Amino acid sequence: MSEADPMPTPAHGVAIPEPDAPPEPDVEGMPDVEAMFEEIEVDAPLVGIIMGSANDKPKMQPAGKVLEEAGIRYEVRVMSAHRNPDTVAEYCKAAQMRGLKVLIAGAGMSAALPGVAAAHTSLPVVGVPILGKSLGGIDALLAIAQMPPGVPVACMAVDGAKNAGLYAARIIELT
Ligand code: RP5
């Protein structure tokens, strides 16, 4: 046997295999993981305020005011469950991973937004029925209150965005 022999054969003739080399890290998959972490900002908002129309902004503004006063970071997005269903699904599916803790969802008329949001996230969803031009807000109120079992949505009063902000703040204080 020379010193250069890489696998010396023992006297009884059975070669002892080298221990398995540790698996190579999956460098192919790393960029995806890094991208996910890059999306989690240090100052990421804790509450997402979403609403079905830009016209809902004045009605939803009290929720943001309450959160601001409580020092809770939030973001505001306009997206309609009926007019932008893909946007709603994408936003709500990514919400928890982005660091959001609560969603506040306001909508008027056939107000599907809070329920659709709850269908796409495990985060607590606080619904705000917004008074429309007819039916005194009862349309949105019932749409948000009458969620089927298994898809929970907290329903505030008609135009109850202030309480939605307070409710979200209480949830965050518990987490
Ligand atoms: C809902 O339809 C919105 O939340 C809004 O309250 C209502 C009417 O929408 P616009 O016609 O004002 O955009 O989706």
Side-chain angles (χ1 to χ4, degrees), residues 112-146:
L113 185 60
V116 171
H120 288 298
T121 182
S122 299
L123 293 175
V125 176
V126 186
V128 181
I130 292 177
L131 179 64
K133 291 182 181 140
S134 57
L135 301 176
I138 198 83
D139 43 0
L141 176 66
L142 295 181
I144 295 173
Q146 289 294 96

Side-chain angles (χ1 to χ4, degrees), residues 51-56 59 78-83 106-113 128-133 140:
M51 61 202 79
S53 167
N55 295 327
D56 297 333
K59 296 287 183 72
V78 174
M79 59 186 78
S80 163
H82 298 115
R83 291 176 279 210
M109 301 177 71
S110 179
L113 185 60
V128 181
I130 292 177
L131 179 64
K133 291 182 181 140

Side-chain angles (χ1 to χ4, degrees), residues 62-133:
K65 186 166 184 281
V66 162
L67 293 170
E68 199 166 327
E69 287 167 0
I72 296 171
R73 297 182 301 278
Y74 66 94
E75 65 182 15
V76 177
R77 299 280 186 277
V78 174
M79 59 186 78
S80 163
H82 298 115
R83 291 176 279 210
N84 321 104
D86 292 343
T87 303
V88 174
E90 284 163 22
Y91 178 84
C92 295
K93 283 178 186 171
Q96 191 163 13
M97 188 271 288
R98 292 181 53 234
L100 293 168
K101 303 289 185 201
V102 186
L103 296 184
I104 295 174
M109 301 177 71
S110 179
L113 185 60
V116 171
H120 288 298
T121 182
S122 299
L123 293 175
V125 176
V126 186
V128 181
I130 292 177
L131 179 64
K133 291 182 181 140

Side-chain angles (χ1 to χ4, degrees), residues 5-19:
D5 191 345
M7 177 63 72
T9 304
H12 49 65
V14 178
I16 301 169
E18 289 283 332

